[in-house]
């Protein structure tokens, strides 16, 4: 009996040591100076969870953010693309609701968002600072963007030159002009997943995105 108990004890110790090595609890410090009159925040504003095409639970995103030295994150699960829907069924606000208590506890600013996921054009659009992601589930992408804008959302165009999204050159489509003129396009990604889009940088400068 004693040998059996010792085996259990050493097994528990080994698991605890392994967990400590795999998941260090020391927070990274990212030093970026403040601009005069402003506070600089280190952010990741496009994170997905198992509630769309991510592989982790919403609270894990918060834990990752704290460990990586971030100040703010946005969980922006897809509205239309739900590859785990056979295993997880919930409304589009659920990932934010699950992450919010831990974010408050860890001092992480959690921004509610969602990704409107359509073919090009207009492509993938992320809306930040929304209040109800469920209302963005619309048949027409235009109606989804109107709803995001009316909720006070900040809308940006994701990976405008991603090669697997469409064939051909990175271009500004008529649909993006319509969004921009209707105050439904406020930002644009110029770099993501090791891809740089110089055209997007020019558009950002020209259009104050």
């Amino acid at each position: 009996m004693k040998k059996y108990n010792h085996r259990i004890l050493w097994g528990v110790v080994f698991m605890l040591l392994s967990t400590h090595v795999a998941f260090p609890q020391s927070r990274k410090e990212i030093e970026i100076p403040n601009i005069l009159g402003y506070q600089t925040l280190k952010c990741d504003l496009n994170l997905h969870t198992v509630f769309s095409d991510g592989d982790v639970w919403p609270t894990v995103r918060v834990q990752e953010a704290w460990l990586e030295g971030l100040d703010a994150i946005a969980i922006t699960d897809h509205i239309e693309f739900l590859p785990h829907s056979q295993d997880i069924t919930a409304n589009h606000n659920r990932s934010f609701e699950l992450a919010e208590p831990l974010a408050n506890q860890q001092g992480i600013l959690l921004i509610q968002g969602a990704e409107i996921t359509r073919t090009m054009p207009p492509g993938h659009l992320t809306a930040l600072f929304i209040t109800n992601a469920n209302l963005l589930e619309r048949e027409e992408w235009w109606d989804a963007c109107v709803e995001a804008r009316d909720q006070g959302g900040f809308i940006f165009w994701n990976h405008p030159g991603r090669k697997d999204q469409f064939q051909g050159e990175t271009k500004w489509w008529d649909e993006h002009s319509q969004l921009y003129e209707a105050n439904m396009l406020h930002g644009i990604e110029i770099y993501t997943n090791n891809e740089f889009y110089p055209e997007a940088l020019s558009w950002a400068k020209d259009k104050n995105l």
Side-chain angles (χ1 to χ4, degrees):
M1 179 65 70
K2 289 183 179 180
K3 289 183 178 180
Y4 179 73
N5 288 338
H6 288 161
R7 289 174 182 172
I8 293 177
L9 176 61
W10 282 114
V12 171
V13 170
F14 177 76
M15 289 176 61
L16 289 174
L17 289 173
S18 299
T19 301
H20 179 72
V21 172
F23 302 101
Q25 295 304 307
S26 58
R27 176 174 163 87
K28 291 181 182 178
E29 294 297 331
I30 304 174
E31 298 294 338
I32 302 178
N34 291 325
I35 300 172
L36 185 62
Y38 296 89
Q39 181 180 358
T40 300
L41 299 180
K42 284 78 71 177
C43 313
D44 191 331
L45 301 179
N46 191 1
L47 291 172
H48 297 172
T49 74
V50 291
F51 285 86
S52 61
D53 64 339
D55 294 321
V56 300
W57 199 250
T59 51
V60 174
R61 290 304 189 202
V62 177
Q63 294 166 345
E64 291 171 344
W66 187 86
L67 289 171
E68 293 172 3
L70 299 181
D71 303 306
I73 60 172
I75 292 181
T76 57
D77 281 316
H78 295 281
I79 296 293
E80 298 86 0
F81 183 52
L82 306 172
H84 303 307
S85 59
Q86 289 186 342
D87 304 301
I88 298 177
T89 302
N91 68 69
H92 297 298
N93 294 314
R94 189 58 179 153
S95 56
F96 176 83
E97 294 167 353
L98 289 169
E100 188 176 28
L102 183 59
N104 292 336
Q105 179 183 330
Q106 297 279 39
I108 300 293
L109 176 62
L110 181 65
I111 299 166
Q112 186 166 9
E115 185 166 343
I116 301 166
T117 314
R118 305 299 176 103
T119 57
M120 189 76 77
H124 296 185
L125 304 165
T126 290
L128 303 176
F129 305 107
I130 59 174
T131 56
N132 189 342
N134 289 323
L135 298 180
L136 273 59
E137 188 173 2
R138 304 294 183 93
E139 183 176 352
E140 298 295 333
W141 62 264
W142 179 266
D143 295 334
C145 292
V146 169
E147 178 61 39
R149 180 199 61 189
D150 292 348
Q151 290 186 26
F154 179 94
I155 303 170
F156 66 87
W157 180 10
N158 297 350
H159 41 72
R162 202 172 74 180
K163 296 178 178 58
D164 65 343
Q165 203 169 56
F166 68 97
Q167 298 295 324
E169 62 181 350
T170 302
K171 59 179 288 188
W172 181 277
W173 299 73
D174 292 339
E175 286 80 356
H176 299 116
S177 292
Q178 295 169 11
L179 286 167
Y180 180 73
E181 292 165 3
N183 191 31
M184 293 193 294
L185 187 60
H186 311 112
I188 188 169
E189 282 186 340
I190 62 173
Y191 180 90
T192 180
N193 291 336
N194 297 320
E195 290 185 352
F196 170 59
Y197 313 119
E199 300 92 343
L201 179 58
S202 298
W203 298 333
K205 291 180 178 178
D206 294 342
K207 303 177 185 301
N208 195 30
L209 298 177

